Amino acid sequence: MRETVRAKKHLGQHFLNDLTIAENIVEALNPALQFKKVLEIGPGMGVLTQFLLQKTDYETTIIDIDRESIAFLQKKFPSLENRIISGDFLKLNLEDLFNEQFAIIGNFPYNISSQILFKMLEHRDKVPVLVGMFQKEVAERIAAPPKNKTYGILSVFLQAFYTIEYLFTVHEDVFTPPPRVKSAVIRCTRNKTMELGCNEILFVKVVKAGFNQRRKTLRNSLKPYIHDKPEISSHPFFTKRAEELSVEDFVELTNLVEKKAL
Ligand code: SAH
C-alpha cells in the first residue's frame, strides 16, 4: 500500500495533518440533526473520513475526483465498499445518490468551493447542514452580515436559506503542502424558509445586478429594472447600496420591482 497520495495542485490538494482539527470538524456536524447520511467531498487521504467512520449515528459516503486518492482510500477503508465514489462532485447526481436528507462535510478544494455551495442551494431541501473548510476570505464573505464590505451575492443567497456560523480559523502550517492563505471552518444550517416570498428568478437577478456594481446606489445598478418607473424609484431602497440591504430587504425590493414591471 502506498504511504501517501502525491499532492496535485490543479486539484486543490492540501492535506490536513492535524488530527485535533480534523476531529473538531467532524464533531461540528451536530448528530442531533435529522440526517442518517453524510457525504464527504474531497476526502484526499481520509483525515476526516477516519473520524466520520467512527460514528454510528450516520453512514458516510465519500467522493473524490483523484484516482490516486480513491485507490489509497479503498485500501485504507475497505469497510466503505460501494460508499466510495470516484468522480467530480459537481457532476454528481444528488437526487439519485440518496433518497433522504444528508449532510455535507469536507475540507473542500478551494477552486470549487463556491460551486459546492451553489449546488447545495439547488438541493437545499435535502441538505440540512454543511460543515466545511474554506479559504478564510470566502468563509468570512459567506458569514458576513449586511453593511459589511465582504457581504455579497453568495452571502445573500446562502443566508436566505441557511444560518451561517464561522466556527474557527485554521493556520496554513497544518496542511501539506501549506496553502498560501489561511482557512476557516463554517457550518451552514438550513433555516425554516421554504419559499422566499418573491419571484426567486428575479431575486437572483436583482441581487446580482445590485452587487455587480456594488459601489453604486441601487437606483443606478438596477436601472434596467426601474426604467421609466419613477413611482418606484422614490422608494428609500434606491438611495442605498446593495451591501446595505438584508435578505428580507432584497425580497421586498424584488416584489417592488416585479409589481411595477408588470
Ligand atoms: N479532505 C482532505 C483533502 C483536502 S484537499 C484533507 O483534509 O486532507 C481537496 C480534495 O478534494 C482533494 O483530495 C482533491 O482530489 C479533491 N477534489 C478536487 N476537486 C474535486 C471535485 N470536483 N470533486 C470531488 N473531489 C475533488
Side-chain angles (χ1 to χ4, degrees):
M1 175 174 169
R2 291 188 67 156
E3 289 299 311
T4 59
V5 172
R6 188 173 44 88
K8 297 161 206 75
K9 206 173 170 181
H10 70 285
L11 295 178
Q13 289 181 333
H14 297 280
F15 299 116
L16 178 65
N17 45 43
D18 184 312
L19 293 181
T20 308
I21 295 175
E23 192 169 12
N24 288 342
I25 295 173
V26 171
E27 288 304 319
L29 254 193
N30 184 348
L33 283 161
Q34 298 303 309
F35 59 84
K36 294 271 176 256
K37 306 275 185 199
V38 171
L39 179 65
E40 186 193 356
I41 304 171
M45 288 198 280
V47 67
L48 300 181
T49 320
Q50 62 191 318
F51 293 107
L52 289 164
L53 294 180
Q54 286 171 14
K55 301 288 179 187
T56 50
D57 302 304
Y58 51 78
E59 188 181 68
T60 300
T61 297
I62 64 179
I63 177 164
D64 204 294
I65 201 169
D66 180 25
R67 285 166 191 243
E68 190 186 346
S69 281
I70 293 293
F72 177 93
L73 294 161
Q74 279 167 336
K75 287 186 186 134
K76 187 166 175 181
F77 305 113
S79 66
L80 272 171
E81 295 178 350
N82 59 353
R83 288 182 287 120
I84 177 161
I85 305 169
S86 175
D88 182 349
F89 168 72
L90 298 178
K91 295 191 180 138
L92 185 66
N93 184 332
L94 291 177
E95 291 305 323
D96 291 351
L97 184 63
F98 301 121
N99 49 16
E100 60 190 289
Q101 294 208 318
F102 62 96
I104 295 179
I105 194 166
N107 168 10
F108 299 135
Y110 294 161
N111 50 339
I112 61 161
S113 57
S114 304
Q115 292 167 77
I116 291 174
L117 292 168
F118 281 118
K119 184 154 177 168
M120 169 181 80
L121 275 173
E122 273 172 39
H123 297 274
R124 58 183 177 257
D125 294 331
K126 283 188 90 174
V127 186
V129 59
L130 171 147
V131 170
M133 175 112 69
F134 293 83
Q135 202 173 312
K136 181 167 186 270
E137 222 175 59
V138 175
E140 284 170 345
R141 207 174 337 130
I142 296 165
K147 301 198 169 81
N148 187 296
K149 71 178 193 310
T150 60
Y151 178 68
I153 295 173
L154 199 52
S155 338
V156 175
F157 292 162
L158 271 174
Q159 291 172 24
F161 296 104
Y162 286 86
T163 300
I164 318 292
E165 295 162 277
Y166 185 103
L167 299 180
F168 52 88
T169 306
V170 182
H171 195 273
E172 48 270 47
D173 285 357
V174 298
F175 297 94
T176 308
R180 255 184 270 139
V181 289
K182 290 209 183 343
S183 301
V185 176
I186 61 167
R187 177 167 50 214
C188 307
T189 308
R190 185 77 172 87
N191 65 23
K192 299 231 170 341
T193 305
M194 296 307 286
E195 303 287 340
L196 271 183
C198 68
N199 176 334
E200 227 175 86
I201 294 168
L202 188 60
F203 175 84
V204 170
K205 288 184 182 163
V206 165
V207 173
K208 283 187 176 167
F211 282 104
N212 279 340
Q213 294 171 289
R214 60 182 296 147
R215 279 197 294 249
K216 293 193 175 173
T217 60
L218 290 166
R219 184 188 315 285
N220 281 313
S221 55
L222 296 184
K223 223 170 220 153
Y225 296 93
I226 55 173
H227 186 61
D228 280 348
K229 307 232 166 32
E231 69 277 20
I232 67 163
S233 71
S234 62
H235 191 284
F237 282 155
F238 293 108
T239 60
K240 296 187 176 184
R241 292 185 295 171
E243 66 193 49
E244 296 176 79
L245 266 59
S246 66
V247 171
E248 294 72 29
D249 291 339
F250 273 113
V251 169
E252 207 182 317
L253 176 62
T254 304
N255 281 328
L256 203 63
V257 165
E258 179 167 62
K259 205 161 19 167
K260 299 297 179 183
L262 282 176

